[in-house]
Amino acid sequence: MIRFEAVDKFFGSFQVLKKISLEVALGERVVVCGPSGSGKSTLIRCINGLEQHESGTLSVEGTKLGHDHASLNKVRSSVGMVFQQFNLFPHLTAIENLMLGPVRARKLPREEARDLAQRYLERVRIPEQADKYPRQLSGGQQQRVAIARSLCMEPRIMLFDEPTSALDPEMINEVLDVMTELAESGMTMICVTHEMGFARRVADKMVFMDHGEIVEEAGPETFFNTPKSRRCQDFLQKILQH
C-alpha cells in the first residue's frame, strides 16, 4: 500500500528525514514512535503530500507522489488523516462537519451525505452529538468527530498524528477504543503515538525513529521485549516508566 525508498526531506538546511525506507502492506497496522523531533510526524505528512520529500521515491497504492496535482489528488482520495488538534469548523455542527467533504469533494447529494455522516457518528459512538457545535463537545468527543469526518471520505488508509496528545488523560481511552475498533476492522493504519499500551494491542509492526532515521523496525513482541538498539532500549525505558 505504501512504500518509501531512500526518502530524504529537508527543512532549509536541516535534514528531517534521512534515507527512509519502509513498506506498509494492505491491512497492516504500523505504530511509529520515538523522541520529539525525530521526524515521525513529517514521515506521515509526506504520505498525503502535506510535506513534499526532496529525494527518493514514495508511492501509495502504486502512485508515485510527485509535485504534480494529479498524483497528490489521487493519493489524497484514498488517505484519511487525523491530527493532534481536531481542526473542526466551529460554526458547523458535528454532522455538518462530517457532511462537508462528501458534498464538496465527492459530490454526494446532501441527504446521502447526512446518512453517511450519521453512520460514522454511530461508528465512533457519539450519534447523539450530531447537532452539537464543537464548543459543546469534550476534547475526546471532538477527536472522535474528527476521526468520523476522515472516515466519511471512505479512505483505504488512515494516518494518525499523535491523536491523543491534546486530550485530558481521562479522554484518551475513548479515542483509543475507537482506533482499536478501526484497526480490528482491517483498515490500513499508520499511527504516530506514545500510547504504548495501544501499540502493543493493535500494531502489526513497530517503527522507532530518532534523528530522522528509522533505527528499529519489528513486531510488537520483539520490539517491546528484546529491542536491539541502545537508543530504542533507552526510549522504551523512559516512556514505559510514566
Side-chain angles (χ1 to χ4, degrees):
M1 290 286 273
I2 302 167
R3 176 176 286 151
F4 289 80
E5 296 175 86
V7 167
D8 291 320
K9 168 68 186 168
F10 292 83
F11 290 139
S13 60
F14 176 68
Q15 188 169 5
V16 67
L17 296 180
K18 302 170 186 174
K19 295 282 177 282
I20 296 291
S21 291
L22 176 68
E23 291 190 4
V24 179
L26 175 67
E28 193 169 28
R29 295 147 330 184
V30 177
V31 169
V32 183
C33 62
S36 293
S38 58
K40 311 180 297 293
S41 292
T42 304
L43 177 90
I44 65 168
R45 287 170 69 87
C46 284
I47 294 170
N48 65 353
L50 289 176
E51 302 289 355
Q52 295 184 333
H53 60 290
E54 273 80 23
S55 59
T57 305
L58 171 52
S59 55
V60 179
E61 294 189 302
T63 299
K64 280 188 185 178
L65 259 172
H67 300 291
D68 58 297
H69 288 300
S71 69
L72 275 175
N73 290 340
K74 188 170 182 191
V75 165
R76 284 175 179 164
S77 70
S78 66
V79 177
M81 187 158 181
V82 177
F83 301 87
Q84 297 177 39
Q85 303 299 330
F86 323 123
N87 299 329
L88 300 174
F89 290 107
H91 63 291
L92 299 179
T93 62
I95 200 162
E96 287 167 347
N97 266 281
L98 267 63
M99 290 168 61
L100 198 60
V103 168
R104 291 217 178 152
R106 296 176 58 201
K107 310 299 182 199
L108 280 190
R110 285 188 66 81
E111 277 313 303
E112 208 174 312
R114 182 173 287 277
D115 290 345
L116 182 75
Q118 191 64 43
R119 193 162 79 239
Y120 280 114
L121 283 175
E122 284 166 14
R123 186 161 180 186
V124 300
R125 306 185 205 161
I126 47 169
E128 72 286 354
Q129 308 297 344
D131 296 318
K132 288 187 181 173
Y133 290 91
R135 66 179 178 277
Q136 298 172 301
L137 303 174
S138 70
Q141 289 170 335
Q142 287 185 64
Q143 190 60 294
R144 283 190 277 168
V145 171
I147 292 170
R149 179 179 58 183
S150 281
L151 291 173
C152 272
M153 298 302 287
E154 310 213 300
R156 291 184 290 281
I157 299 164
M158 280 288 281
L159 309 174
F160 294 89
D161 186 7
E162 302 202 33
T164 59
S165 66
L167 299 177
D168 293 334
E170 66 269 20
M171 294 173 185
I172 288 172
N173 281 340
E174 63 187 56
V175 172
L176 292 178
D177 287 347
V178 167
M179 291 169 62
T180 300
E181 276 183 26
L182 267 185
E184 288 168 353
S185 75
M187 173 79 74
T188 305
M189 288 172 58
I190 304 182
C191 183
V192 171
T193 185
H194 287 135
E195 299 293 338
M196 293 296 106
F198 167 79
R200 272 186 196 261
R201 215 162 52 240
V202 308
D204 298 307
K205 180 159 66 187
M206 296 294 303
V207 173
F208 174 70
M209 292 184 70
D210 196 13
H211 293 105
E213 299 174 305
I214 292 178
V215 177
E216 198 147 337
E217 187 181 328
E221 194 69 26
T222 303
F223 182 84
F224 286 107
N225 296 329
T226 52
K228 294 183 180 64
S229 69
R230 187 55 199 251
R231 279 192 281 176
C232 189
Q233 290 166 16
D234 290 346
F235 173 78
L236 286 172
Q237 194 172 9
K238 283 174 192 158
I239 202 162
L240 294 174
Q241 281 172 350
H242 284 293

